[in-house]
Amino acid sequence: MSAIDPATFPDRAARRARLFTTINRLDGWFQVLGLSFVTPLLRALAGDNPAAQMKHIWRLLGVPLLAIALFLALWATLAPRVVTSLGAIPGPGQVWEQALVLHSDHVAERSKAAEFQLRQDARNAELVAAGQADRVRERAYTGSPTYYAQIWTSVQTVFFGFLIATAIAVPLGILAGLSPTANAALNPLIQIFKPVSPLAWLPIVTMVVSAVYVTQDGVFSKSFLTSAITVTLCSLWPTLINTSLGVASIDRDLISVSRVLQLNTWTKITRLVLPSALPLIFTGLRLSLGVGWMVLIAAEMLAQNPGLGKFIWDEFQNGSSSSLARIMVAVFTIGIIGFILDRLMFALQSLFTFSNNR
Amino acid sequence: MLRKLALTALISAIASQSAADTHPEIEDLTLGFIKLTDMAPLAIAYEKGYFEDEGLFVTLEAQANWKVLLDGVIDGNLHGAHMLAGQPLAATIGFGTKAHIVTPFVFDLNGNATTVSNEVWELMRPAIPSDADGKPVHPISAEALRPALEAFAAQGRPFNLGMVFPVSTHNFEQRYWLAAGGIHPGYYSPDNSAGQIGAEVLLSVTPPPQMPATLEAGTISGYTVGEPWNQQAVAMGIGVPVATDLDIFPMRAEKVLGLRADFVEANPNTVKALTRALIRAAMWLDAEDNANRSEAVQIISSPGYVGADPVVLANSMTGTFEYEKGDIRPVPDFNVFFRYQANYPFTSDAVWYLTQMRRWGQIPEAQTDKWYAETAQSVFLPELYLEAAQSLVDDGLAPAEAFPFGSDGYRAEPSRAIDALPFDGRSPNAYIDSLPIGLKGDQRVIGNEVQG
């Protein structure tokens, strides 16, 4: 700041000051979104001591990029040395190539879908002309789902399962946190069910869904429900445990105050318990969503339910020379989406909580 | 001729009965399949627009394994599926899962082979005679396996083989081949579904795509599976196919269209439309001496269908088969989709599967010849097939001589089994008693013993 004489450019100095305040405010958000390297970049652009900022940029952007480059180089040199029954392990180049192929498959499938739509329209027009308007039906394209469709299915499923898990886990967690008796009752069940693998739940869930959800044309397909409920069963626990922990560790003084004020239970929970337990609840939710995403892929693989897991299993079964590269595309997709989901939860947490627990 | 006319009259009577509404009752169908070359009729019917021609909107879904596929059809997630011929029969008699499943259409004949590891092949090779070029003479008898069995026994190692499902053609074929060579593959019993009671070689289930990897790892020393998994082993240099099913028991229904009986009853027009579309696809696959096969290979190599490399798929789809590396022999009938009346659900084929289930104890007690015929006829439904075929003939889409109108459901040609034993589908009990190894007459497996 001192480099510029404030007397000569009073306006500019004030603008600069405002600019830096803005950058500092944005910094919080960049950190939440995993883009913390943007702050020093902006600062440097705004003219703040470039040398000092370069150091930050190097640490926040240069080092990670270098690590990624190193990883890619290691991968590219080591992968071709492992020869599997489907050929050598693909390097980054082949994986990228397959990512492009998957995209062009998507484009091709879309044009086939458009043709399907044209044929259907012609057919429906014929039916109307023949006076059979009651037989006209608009149906979705029947071709195989593209890679993007599989991603979208998985994301929808994980959120559905996660929402059910949250709806169950948060109230139960509050109950367990408030009442030692409820905690004593729930604890053994939590301990037993928490470590159970999704692959163990899946057959049970499949059978139960088939038995209970008998309709063939309901809102949800059975495979969707099976995957989502398996996600629910496995992602319940972190939220449940963290919620009860958060609720149980409320400041005793606050409890005393609530007694003095003679608050009723509902007010106590909404005004007192929830706000102070929120940071831990969100930590639980973040963990839950992460677990749910991992579980979902396994469940889709085993049950052949639509989604990224099915994509991987299908490719594994295909056993073509490009299968391994395609599976790796899926691995990176899963990783990146998992990362985005985590950031999303982190951002939500930052919106709702103001403690230093971030 | 008279009989043929009578049948035609019957069929047209059925047709006119339902003439009031010939539209499919259900137009949107989901059909399951396993990633194997013989799912081709489904892919072709979809890609060539035959399903849509018939007013059907079909979604094809690959399934993880045969069990998942069967459960999908039973619980209604799938309207129908590409099934092992033994699956509807086993489900109907209640071996494994109980459900009445029927079939109006056979996908193909043949299409499997038995592969052994390089280690086993080296032990086998000295016992196999060579031809003038120094190549092994086919068919190879399982007797040649004896030195390998002895070598394994001497080292105290179990001799493990893989197959894909307990009632799969592959299981029966491998057992048939072994037993014809004097090797006991083991019995099933009501309390023991591993199928290894009294076995000299231990057969167990391995999913098709995992076969080469499992063989390479040494967990199994050989396997029987459909394509492309035998040619894959050759390409990888880890095993040698020793017998195709053309050597062991040729011209038998391999995969069938499995539908729930109540579905067929409730939706006759849908089933007819489905059968018509599949017949047209099968005709296309075999048209003009397999002229379309290379296009078919391109279609099924798409990841949504079989997904393997076109080169590997083409090996068996275009009439050749590679045994040892470089030992490529013509096998024009390796995959038959239409010729030889391939799509007709022959009662005798169903009876053959049932005799093998009885032979190895999957059917625990003796049954009468009548039971075999009736069970076969309650599952394999040629009348549905012929009705669809007749309507194709009427529409000028197929020549009448392509279909066995008037057949009584028993194959006319003699059996060409590896052990040269004649098979007459009309007298299954006599056939079962004539087989060298296996349960006969009233024999039952109790505990680890054969009694009776």
Side-chain angles (χ1 to χ4, degrees):
Chain A
M1 288 264 179
S2 54
I4 299 153
D5 185 357
T8 342
F9 306 105
D11 258 15
R12 207 166 148 189
R15 265 218 319 271
R16 269 179 60 98
R18 272 207 308 279
L19 187 64
F20 281 111
T21 336
T22 317
I23 292 176
N24 285 337
R25 236 196 4 254
L26 283 175
D27 179 48
W29 280 106
F30 288 137
Q31 278 186 18
V32 166
L33 297 171
L35 300 169
S36 39
F37 64 87
V38 180
T39 314
L41 215 62
L42 286 180
R43 282 208 181 117
L45 283 178
D48 184 17
N49 185 6
Q53 295 309 324
M54 274 317 284
K55 224 175 177 173
H56 285 296
I57 294 173
W58 166 245
R59 189 169 51 79
L60 294 173
L61 185 64
V63 174
L65 282 182
L66 194 74
I68 291 173
L70 208 72
F71 167 74
L72 288 178
L74 263 178
W75 175 16
T77 45
L78 292 181
R81 297 189 194 178
V82 185
V83 178
T84 71
S85 53
L86 293 177
I89 298 255
Q94 285 142 293
V95 172
W96 177 244
E97 207 174 279
Q98 284 307 315
L100 295 179
V101 169
L102 284 173
H103 176 74
S104 65
D105 281 355
H106 169 76
V107 174
E109 202 66 28
R110 271 226 310 244
S111 78
K112 274 172 85 178
E115 283 167 30
F116 176 86
Q117 191 58 41
L118 285 178
R119 287 200 304 275
Q120 173 164 289
D121 290 347
R123 186 184 149 86
N124 285 343
E126 241 170 68
L127 283 174
V128 172
Q132 293 181 306
D134 54 316
R135 290 190 53 231
V136 168
R137 278 201 58 188
E138 281 296 327
R139 38 174 67 81
Y141 177 52
T142 56
S144 49
T146 65
Y147 191 59
Y148 298 132
Q150 306 270 39
I151 295 176
W152 180 230
T153 311
S154 285
V155 170
Q156 279 177 307
T157 317
V158 81
F159 272 111
F160 188 74
F162 170 71
L163 286 179
I164 304 178
T166 308
I168 298 171
V170 171
L172 271 184
I174 293 173
L175 184 69
L178 286 178
S179 142
T181 320
N183 191 34
L186 282 171
N187 201 38
L189 295 177
I190 296 175
Q191 299 300 336
I192 290 172
F193 288 129
K194 189 171 66 114
V196 176
S197 148
L199 306 187
W201 285 120
L202 194 64
I204 302 175
V205 174
T206 310
M207 300 307 287
V208 171
V209 168
S210 297
V212 175
Y213 193 73
V214 279
T215 164
Q216 281 306 318
D217 28 43
V219 186
F220 305 112
S221 64
K222 276 184 192 173
S223 56
F224 177 82
L225 281 183
T226 313
S227 303
I229 293 173
T230 309
V231 167
T232 303
L233 283 174
C234 296
S235 70
L236 206 62
W237 315 111
T239 308
L240 183 47
I241 292 166
N242 276 289
T243 307
S244 75
L245 195 70
V247 171
S249 55
I250 298 174
D251 200 331
R252 294 207 162 270
D253 292 347
L254 284 174
I255 304 278
S256 311
V257 169
S258 79
R259 287 223 184 88
V260 171
L261 293 175
Q262 292 191 321
L263 295 178
N264 63 24
T265 319
W266 179 248
T267 321
K268 199 172 106 183
I269 289 175
T270 51
R271 289 295 161 90
L272 210 139
V273 173
L274 270 181
S276 46
L278 220 46
L280 265 173
I281 294 181
F282 266 103
T283 309
L285 288 177
R286 252 176 93 188
L287 288 171
S288 278
L289 190 59
V291 168
W293 183 241
M294 279 208 277
V295 161
L296 176 68
I297 304 298
E300 286 173 346
M301 271 177 88
L302 191 70
Q304 291 289 280
N305 291 339
L308 281 167
K310 181 172 164 67
F311 172 84
I312 293 180
W313 193 253
D314 277 352
E315 281 301 335
F316 171 60
Q317 292 213 311
N318 286 351
S320 90
S321 49
S322 54
S323 286
L324 281 180
R326 282 159 170 260
I327 292 173
M328 283 192 196
V329 174
V331 166
F332 284 108
T333 312
I334 292 166
I336 291 165
I337 291 178
F339 172 70
I340 295 173
L341 289 180
D342 188 60
R343 284 291 132 183
L344 220 68
M345 288 308 294
F346 191 42
L348 268 181
Q349 183 175 6
S350 322
L351 269 181
F352 283 105
T353 62
F354 305 96
S355 71
N356 49 5
N357 274 4
R358 281 190 185 182
Chain B
M1 191 62 202
L2 204 69
R3 202 186 158 139
K4 187 172 161 183
L5 279 176
L7 193 75
T8 320
L10 180 80
I11 288 159
S12 51
I14 296 170
S16 64
Q17 227 172 34
S18 56
D21 188 13
T22 55
H23 300 302
E25 295 82 1
I26 300 181
E27 295 179 337
D28 300 272
L29 296 175
T30 307
L31 303 179
F33 69 90
I34 295 284
K35 289 176 174 286
L36 288 165
T37 52
D38 54 18
M39 64 72 66
L42 284 174
I44 300 302
Y46 184 91
E47 296 292 333
K48 293 283 157 193
Y50 297 146
F51 283 136
E52 282 185 39
D53 280 1
E54 301 296 334
L56 297 176
F57 296 85
V58 172
T59 306
L60 299 175
E61 272 183 12
Q63 306 294 310
N65 57 54
W66 293 114
K67 167 86 177 123
V68 167
L69 174 137
L70 181 63
D71 289 346
V73 173
I74 292 171
D75 66 23
N77 277 340
L78 301 171
H79 293 101
H82 158 244
M83 281 188 188
L84 295 158
Q87 276 186 308
L89 290 162
T92 300
I93 63 172
F95 176 77
T97 319
K98 174 98 182 137
H100 192 184
I101 309 237
V102 299
T103 180
F105 178 84
V106 175
F107 274 79
D108 64 326
L109 306 177
N110 312 323
N112 304 317
T114 297
T115 295
V116 297
S117 69
N118 290 337
E119 181 196 7
V120 172
W121 176 244
E122 270 161 38
L123 292 165
M124 281 174 81
R125 186 64 187 88
I128 302 167
S130 302
D131 63 12
D133 300 332
K135 286 179 179 171
V137 176
H138 284 266
I140 294 170
S141 161
E143 268 179 295
L145 213 54
R146 196 50 79 183
L149 291 186
E150 279 159 11
F152 272 64
Q155 294 167 24
R157 290 163 63 193
F159 197 89
N160 296 317
L161 293 175
M163 46 85 185
V164 304
F165 198 70
V167 294
S168 68
T169 327
H170 318 83
N171 187 21
F172 298 136
E173 220 161 70
Q174 198 165 49
R175 285 166 182 271
Y176 199 98
W177 180 65
L178 291 166
I183 295 168
H184 205 302
Y187 291 120
Y188 291 83
S189 82
D191 334 310
N192 183 341
S193 57
Q196 299 180 342
I197 299 169
E200 283 181 86
V201 296
L202 306 173
L203 270 63
S204 59
V205 171
T206 306
Q210 273 102 297
M211 287 289 187
T214 317
L215 184 76
E216 199 178 9
T219 315
I220 51 176
S221 300
Y223 53 74
T224 302
V225 73
E227 279 311 304
W229 306 114
N230 295 292
Q231 292 301 291
Q232 182 90 347
V234 178
M236 288 160 63
I238 55 164
V240 178
V242 289
T244 67
D245 52 5
L246 280 156
D247 300 331
I248 301 170
F249 198 101
M251 301 301 164
R252 191 186 2 69
E254 168 59 32
K255 302 291 178 341
V256 299
L257 172 67
L259 303 165
R260 268 203 337 243
D262 55 341
F263 176 85
V264 172
E265 212 167 298
N267 307 290
N269 294 341
T270 301
V271 172
K272 186 172 163 187
L274 191 56
T275 312
R276 276 171 57 105
L278 288 173
I279 294 174
R280 290 174 67 187
M283 284 172 67
W284 184 88
L285 276 162
D286 273 12
E288 293 158 50
D289 280 333
N290 299 353
N292 293 327
R293 289 288 180 95
S294 42
E295 190 187 340
V297 164
Q298 287 305 324
I299 290 173
I300 64 171
S301 71
S302 137
Y305 299 129
V306 185
D309 287 340
V311 189
V312 179
L313 289 172
N315 250 0
S316 58
M317 282 278 276
T318 52
T320 58
F321 197 79
E322 189 171 10
Y323 290 87
E324 276 175 284
K325 267 220 166 100
D327 184 0
I328 302 174
R329 306 187 188 204
V331 186
D333 289 338
F334 190 84
N335 275 118
V336 171
F337 289 103
F338 185 72
R339 52 184 187 269
Y340 310 124
Q341 325 290 10
N343 309 131
Y344 183 98
F346 279 101
T347 308
S348 51
D349 286 10
V351 169
W352 186 81
Y353 280 104
L354 292 168
T355 62
Q356 300 306 303
M357 290 181 200
R358 168 66 191 132
R359 181 183 187 186
W360 304 119
Q362 291 177 343
I363 297 172
E365 286 166 24
Q367 305 288 348
T368 60
D369 283 358
K370 195 168 158 237
W371 179 88
Y372 283 98
E374 280 172 358
T375 306
Q377 282 157 356
S378 72
V379 176
F380 278 40
L381 305 176
E383 56 279 21
L384 294 181
Y385 170 75
L386 290 178
E387 191 193 331
Q390 182 61 52
S391 71
L392 284 173
V393 173
D394 293 345
D395 294 350
L397 290 167
E401 60 271 18
F403 305 101
F405 294 111
S407 163
D408 60 354
Y410 290 86
R411 275 188 197 280
E413 79 269 23
S415 131
R416 287 183 275 144
I418 195 165
D419 51 8
L421 284 174
F423 166 66
D424 179 1
R426 288 185 188 79
S427 42
N429 278 307
Y431 173 67
I432 291 171
D433 293 344
S434 77
L435 292 165
I437 296 178
L439 297 181
K440 293 176 195 29
D442 291 334
Q443 287 183 329
R444 302 170 63 172
V445 183
I446 294 166
N448 286 328
E449 307 253 324
V450 175
Q451 295 189 358

